[in-house]
Amino acid sequence: MKLSNIFSTLLCPAAVAFAAIAATGCSEEITVSAPDTGNYEVPSENKEVIYIADKDGKREFSNVEFRSNGSTSLRLFTPGNVSADCQVKFTYDPTALEEYNAANGSDYKIYPEELVTIGDNDGVVTIPAGTSRSSEIAVTIVSNGEMDHETSYVIPLRASVISAGDYVLGSLDNTRLIFVKDRTAAPDATKLGPDGLPGVRMVSIIESNDTNPLNHLSFTLGDTGIPFFDVVVLFSGNIRFNRETQKIYVHLNENLTPQLNNAEKYIRPLQNKGIKVVLSILGDHDGSGLANLTEQGAKQFAQALRETCDRYGLDGVMFDDEYSEYTKYRLQDDYPDIFCEESSLAGARLCYYTKKAMPDKLMTLYRLGNLNRFDKEDLMIDGTKVLPGEYLDMVFEDYGRGLRQEYFEGVSKADWAIYSQEFAQGRYASASDLDEMVKNGHKLHMVFALDPHRDTFKGNLTALGRCASSFYNSTCNYSGVVYDKDWK
């Protein structure tokens, strides 16, 4: 990430109309308008297709974090009005998870069936004749107080058609996995806004070569003791390519390696306060990058990212498309199975397969380079158009920029950070910008290069104070405790 320029399932076509509020563990009621049939897959054998989406419009990657109890909901859609009632039944089916784990090399654990309720009509939901969508069916979840709050569990559902005439379920819709975390016993970094609802999530991206991530423990909201930051991003790991083994891998430099190898010292104290820790990934001057991988290459690197997150207990990744030197090396000429011409489509594909490899982790990006926009060419997976809102959990605008939501269709304003701030250079957002964010429904904000050792730190504190005032009607409390770079 340049100091002068930075950091959320196939989306149902109808989901573009969803207005999702993605603050962790909290959402508002959604009003859904008519589906855009142009995004549907083409039915075969003269059959029409029934699609299933959750309350956030996602067809493949549903996530719920809750305390004591939680819920999500599912809804059926068809491209046009049905002539007779269409009914689909959802059942809890462990084999759906077994199939997923086998296909993806994963080992997700099942959430106990007795803690899950599927609707109030034996799991049956109906698209009434003459309409193109059903009412919502609620999937409610309760805690038994025994689940590990750091573990992602899965509620495995299978959908089956009861009566549908010429309609069949879409290729993605026979099973539905809901990834859940029971955070009942976990610390909570959620901060309420002036309206009493979960407020803006604060993200800090740090230069990991110099800055100790533990410095974020010194910032709290007023006198509440609640962590001021929700997410800390370690900038940065790299994508690299080994020409001998023809493997793409995650490279960690001499500063990140000791921090992650000592995660109990540098990472867990943040997570134990409810702060998520994410690893940034960018190019490293060898021709491999986030925007020149084929499907095979994207799947390979996505697995490497998942293994890295699992090994160090990280909460996700952030992509930043810089320093790859695509045109200098042209790896696609020598390794066409792994690399292709750089493009935003290739970048979108990697984001999708990364989310698919670890649906319970954050998949985020900084809007720069080939990851600047995903609206130029459609990403198609198994014949179905995939919208960015399906696989992106957060999008971060470059410093000072406002919203360009059309570039990443389906990503809600709640998950789109605007007016980002560059603390090393003293490039700050004004109070009016921050107030505008809140007024317009943005629930995410990013700062880069926070470090108590910098000459600009006094100005950083003032900027954080403006955030606290605009976002939470409160103050940012700094304890004065400084954590030095102490790794070797």
Side-chain angles (χ1 to χ4, degrees):
M1 182 176 58
K2 295 178 181 177
L3 292 179
S4 59
N5 291 327
I6 210 201
F7 188 86
S8 164
T9 125
L10 288 180
L11 186 63
C12 171
V16 181
F18 279 87
I21 300 298
T24 301
C26 180
S27 63
E28 294 181 349
E29 290 298 319
I30 308 294
T31 300
V32 186
S33 58
D36 175 5
T37 58
N39 290 339
Y40 283 87
E41 63 191 56
V42 179
S44 59
E45 300 177 357
N46 298 317
K47 298 280 187 178
E48 295 286 0
V49 180
I50 301 172
Y51 298 92
I52 300 169
D54 67 13
K55 65 181 180 61
D56 296 323
K58 297 183 183 295
R59 288 186 60 204
E60 193 173 355
F61 308 127
S62 295
N63 287 272
V64 179
E65 289 193 5
F66 68 95
R67 295 175 184 274
S68 299
N69 58 77
S71 68
T72 188
S73 58
L74 303 174
R75 191 192 291 263
L76 309 180
F77 297 90
T78 53
N81 292 343
V82 299
S83 59
D85 286 359
C86 287
Q87 290 189 314
V88 171
K89 180 180 176 66
F90 292 96
T91 56
Y92 181 100
D93 186 350
T95 64
L97 177 57
E98 293 170 6
E99 293 166 1
Y100 179 89
N101 281 335
N104 293 279
S106 53
D107 188 30
Y108 288 106
K109 311 300 182 186
I110 198 166
Y111 198 78
E113 181 177 6
E114 64 270 18
L115 303 178
V116 180
T117 302
I118 309 169
D120 54 8
N121 187 32
D122 197 30
V124 176
V125 64
T126 303
I127 303 178
T131 68
S132 61
R133 61 185 181 185
S134 71
S135 59
E136 293 183 343
I137 181 171
V139 180
T140 57
I141 315 156
V142 297
S143 172
N144 62 3
E146 300 175 0
M147 313 306 288
D148 177 13
H149 65 78
E150 293 297 336
T151 299
S152 294
Y153 298 91
V154 174
I155 299 172
L157 303 181
R158 193 172 297 276
S160 57
V161 173
I162 298 177
S163 61
D166 288 333
Y167 284 81
V168 296
L169 287 167
S171 59
L172 298 172
D173 302 295
N174 291 288
T175 60
R176 162 67 61 163
L177 302 185
I178 302 173
F179 294 82
V180 301
K181 279 190 176 181
D182 180 353
R183 305 286 290 174
T184 304
D188 188 8
T190 301
K191 296 168 286 295
L192 300 183
D195 57 3
L197 298 174
V200 175
R201 292 157 293 163
M202 286 293 298
V203 180
S204 174
I205 304 176
I206 59 170
E207 288 273 18
S208 294
N209 287 343
D210 304 306
T211 304
N212 191 323
L214 296 178
N215 279 294
H216 295 87
L217 297 175
S218 299
F219 297 86
T220 55
L221 182 66
D223 59 0
T224 66
I226 298 173
F228 192 75
F229 293 99
D230 299 85
V231 181
V232 172
V233 181
L234 308 176
F235 185 82
S236 180
N238 304 100
I239 177 174
R240 279 192 180 179
F241 179 57
N242 186 317
R243 287 161 171 76
E244 292 184 4
T245 63
Q246 296 190 23
K247 295 294 184 183
I248 311 164
Y249 65 97
V250 177
H251 170 72
L252 304 173
N253 70 14
E254 68 278 6
N255 286 290
L256 266 177
T257 296
Q259 293 178 64
L260 294 180
N261 283 342
N262 291 278
E264 292 302 319
K265 176 179 179 179
Y266 296 106
I267 307 302
R268 300 296 171 260
L270 299 174
Q271 294 172 325
N272 289 340
K273 291 288 187 179
I275 302 171
K276 296 183 183 298
V277 181
V278 167
L279 178 65
S280 171
I281 299 292
L282 78 163
D284 199 21
H285 309 281
D286 76 343
S288 64
L290 305 173
N292 71 336
L293 300 180
T294 63
E295 180 176 331
Q296 176 182 323
K299 289 180 177 179
Q300 181 189 124
F301 189 55
Q303 291 300 316
L305 290 167
R306 190 188 78 180
E307 292 167 4
T308 299
C309 287
D310 288 347
R311 181 181 303 119
Y312 299 114
L314 300 172
D315 297 297
V317 294
M318 184 197 84
F319 287 169
D320 179 9
D321 184 34
E322 298 186 80
Y323 309 121
S324 288
E325 300 188 36
Y326 298 113
T327 56
K328 177 179 179 179
Y329 291 95
R330 292 192 55 81
L331 294 180
Q332 65 269 24
D333 295 341
D334 296 320
Y335 310 97
D337 291 339
I338 302 173
F339 296 98
C340 60
E341 292 281 350
E342 62 172 294
S343 68
S344 61
L345 179 62
R349 180 168 55 221
L350 176 60
C351 291
Y352 169 78
Y353 281 114
T354 299
K355 186 64 177 178
K356 187 174 181 65
M358 45 184 189
D360 57 324
K361 305 288 188 182
L362 292 173
M363 173 61 248
T364 71
L365 65 80
Y366 173 52
R367 196 168 78 80
L368 192 68
N370 293 286
L371 306 185
N372 181 57
R373 57 192 299 180
F374 286 172
D375 63 330
K376 292 184 177 180
E377 190 172 354
D378 293 340
L379 175 63
M380 304 295 294
I381 302 293
D382 296 329
T384 301
K385 178 181 175 180
V386 189
L387 300 182
E390 184 63 28
Y391 50 83
L392 293 179
D393 296 302
M394 297 178 180
V395 172
F396 288 77
E397 281 287 356
D398 201 2
Y399 306 116
R401 290 198 304 201
L403 180 67
R404 296 302 299 269
Q405 201 166 3
E406 69 274 15
Y407 287 174
F408 295 93
E409 190 174 357
V411 176
S412 75
K413 289 190 293 185
D415 298 321
W416 198 302
I418 62 174
Y419 302 130
S420 302
Q421 305 189 60
E422 212 287 13
F423 277 6
Q425 296 182 350
R427 299 172 62 183
Y428 303 128
S430 68
S432 60
D433 288 340
L434 301 176
D435 290 341
E436 178 188 348
M437 276 183 52
V438 176
K439 179 181 178 180
N440 292 332
H442 291 273
K443 297 278 188 175
L444 194 67
H445 188 63
M446 181 273 287
V447 301
F448 175 67
L450 174 65
D451 189 324
H453 297 94
R454 293 187 188 275
D455 294 339
T456 55
F457 184 62
K458 184 176 180 180
N460 298 173
L461 292 176
T462 301
L464 293 176
R466 282 194 294 270
C467 290
S469 178
S470 294
F471 298 162
Y472 319 113
N473 195 24
S474 184
T475 59
C476 176
N477 179 54
Y478 177 58
S479 68
V481 176
V482 175
Y483 297 85
D484 296 325
K485 175 180 176 179
D486 60 357
W487 55 86
K488 298 180 180 180

